Amino acid sequence: SRIREFWRALDVRGAIDDATFTYGPEEGLAVRLTPRDVDLLIPMTVADDDAPGGIRREMLQMRDVAGTIVFAQNGFTAELAGAIEELACRVTLQYDSYSLDASYRAQIETDRFTFADEGGLKRFAPPLMVRVMDRFLEPQADLSGFVRVSRGQGTDGSPGRTVTEGILNISNGSGRFAEYPYPIGNISGRVQFDEREVRLHDIVGESATGARLLATGRIWPPRDGAAVEIDIRISDLKTDALFAESLPENRQSVYETIFSRDEYNRLREAGMVLSVADRDRLLSERIEAQAALDALEGDAAASAVEVERLRTRLSSIDARLRTPVFELGGTGTLDIAIRREEGDDSEYEETIVIDIPEA
């Protein structure tokens, strides 16, 4: 029978704790199974740009499964908990008949997997979305969320249209965007996708030096030739060595011309400017020298030579402190706009604007 063939395709291996048979005049006969620590296969369709129609059938292996499975006259339903590959997840299934080409709805939900995992929910996301995520260098993040996959009824031996949607929640993230590899940590946010678009919702983070990230945008439709509109802002960005190293190579010479560390050090060595660190060091030395002088001036037996030496030292420090304080660089905002018109031959346009009000 069709149910027997469907059961065979599930390839259930393990113990069934309980089997309950029910009958109703409208529902007909139904069987409710309670598996425990079983392995089974779930027939699904997955987006694949290399497959005919962009969709391929896949028998998804699920291990250590517990939950309920119901075989009814009008179809198959299941609520399961287990692991797909190494991904601990919960799966809800509803098939409207017992054909492998039947219309169905499935939801896969997980509380945690990592960005670096090759599987996880990423395997069900649109391939274009995964390629965009892969533009991050050395990514690390905890991800959670869900994916819903639904398919209409097939015709002429072909499966029906498959629709995928879902949400990925990002936390404890770190990485560098390929176009501007400035290291950002503590990344969090949300990526939402469906058949119409992939949308970035308030991706935020911060750097070790206090710079703050905000990224938003969308990609539509989520397939090859998609339009892209992504905006990345890094505020409170210090124009330091880390900033310079993250610039594209063809722009680093401009930075080095404007913010020349060699010329700055030459001015400091010539005594023409003080850095903030220089000033703070001199202030600390002045406090120590003044305290030593105050102690000697209250001592009748104090050496006049030592008193004069401290006074000369204080005079020299005061002269140095009158030197202008000049800190190389400044703090500003970096805006990166990534644009692409829809079309297979469209090129990416990237605009980088650095706004430094005072430097």
Side-chain angles (χ1 to χ4, degrees):
S1 70
R2 293 175 303 152
I3 294 179
R4 186 178 293 113
E5 291 175 2
F6 196 85
W7 172 259
R8 212 178 274 126
L10 294 179
D11 192 23
V12 179
R13 301 185 183 187
I16 301 295
D17 274 353
D18 185 58
T20 304
F21 294 83
T22 61
Y23 178 81
E26 296 183 2
E27 300 85 2
L29 181 66
V31 181
R32 178 189 180 94
L33 306 177
T34 307
R36 173 174 54 86
D37 296 333
V38 307
D39 295 347
L40 54 80
L41 300 177
I42 300 172
M44 292 187 66
T45 46
V46 179
D48 185 345
D49 287 345
D50 297 326
I55 296 294
R56 62 178 166 84
R57 290 190 182 95
E58 180 170 325
M59 300 301 289
L60 201 63
Q61 184 174 21
M62 195 170 182
R63 298 181 294 100
D64 303 326
V65 177
T68 59
I69 298 173
V70 177
F71 291 91
Q73 285 190 340
N74 60 349
F76 162 87
T77 59
E79 293 184 3
L80 308 171
I84 298 175
E85 296 176 351
E86 300 303 319
L87 176 70
C89 60
R90 299 173 296 280
V91 177
T92 303
L93 297 167
Q94 181 177 342
Y95 276 77
D96 294 332
S97 74
Y98 291 99
S99 165
L100 293 182
D101 291 329
S103 57
Y104 76 86
R105 288 158 296 286
Q107 177 165 310
I108 303 171
E109 185 175 0
T110 182
D111 294 328
R112 184 180 182 277
F113 65 103
T114 65
F115 197 107
D117 290 343
E118 288 300 320
L121 295 184
K122 287 167 62 178
R123 67 182 296 173
F124 303 103
L128 178 64
M129 172 185 161
V130 176
R131 289 199 294 273
V132 170
M133 294 172 71
D134 288 342
R135 294 179 76 154
F136 284 87
L137 307 175
E138 302 172 359
Q140 298 289 331
D142 293 332
L143 304 177
S144 63
F146 69 87
V147 171
R148 292 193 192 102
V149 182
S150 60
R151 183 179 66 191
Q153 182 61 47
T155 57
D156 299 327
S158 298
R161 180 168 172 267
T162 298
V163 175
T164 303
E165 60 180 332
I167 289 176
L168 292 180
N169 300 305
I170 305 169
S171 61
N172 302 319
S174 64
R176 299 175 294 135
F177 195 61
E179 278 69 18
Y180 179 70
Y182 187 83
I184 295 289
N186 198 27
I187 297 173
S188 63
R190 181 163 54 97
V191 179
Q192 186 172 4
F193 60 91
D194 57 26
E195 61 178 343
R196 298 179 300 276
E197 66 178 9
V198 176
R199 185 172 287 273
L200 308 180
H201 292 277
D202 295 335
I203 309 296
V204 299
E206 59 187 25
S207 75
T209 58
R212 293 175 293 125
L213 165 76
L214 173 62
T216 59
R218 64 186 187 119
I219 303 166
W220 75 100
R223 58 174 181 264
D224 288 343
V228 176
E229 186 178 279
I230 297 176
D231 294 301
I232 302 170
R233 165 164 283 201
I234 303 177
S235 55
D236 296 335
L237 178 66
K238 293 180 174 60
T239 56
D240 53 12
L242 185 61
F243 167 84
E245 291 168 1
S246 303
L247 287 172
E249 288 187 8
N250 61 351
R251 293 185 173 98
Q252 288 186 6
S253 60
V254 176
Y255 171 86
E256 292 165 0
T257 299
I258 299 173
F259 301 104
S260 172
R261 178 65 56 179
D262 290 340
E263 290 300 312
Y264 177 59
N265 289 334
R266 185 182 64 79
L267 292 173
R268 288 178 58 212
E269 290 168 2
M272 299 177 69
V273 298
L274 295 177
S275 69
V276 171
D278 293 336
R279 179 198 60 192
D280 293 345
R281 176 179 52 78
L282 287 170
L283 287 172
S284 178
E285 291 177 5
R286 192 187 192 289
I287 291 172
E288 292 177 4
Q290 185 65 58
L293 179 61
D294 291 343
L296 288 176
E297 288 180 338
D299 184 357
S303 166
V305 173
E306 181 63 17
V307 169
E308 185 59 29
R309 187 189 70 79
L310 288 171
R311 286 175 177 169
T312 301
R313 174 64 177 152
L314 283 170
S315 178
S316 173
I317 292 174
D318 288 340
R320 291 288 311 282
L321 285 172
R322 287 192 288 271
T323 304
V325 175
F326 179 85
E327 194 70 21
L328 184 66
T331 300
T333 300
L334 173 71
D335 287 301
I336 304 173
I338 303 172
R339 298 290 186 269
R340 184 178 187 267
E341 298 291 333
E342 184 176 355
D344 291 337
D345 298 326
S346 294
E347 299 290 336
Y348 282 94
E349 296 182 3
E350 298 162 4
T351 303
I352 299 178
V353 177
I354 304 172
D355 181 17
I356 306 173
E358 183 176 341

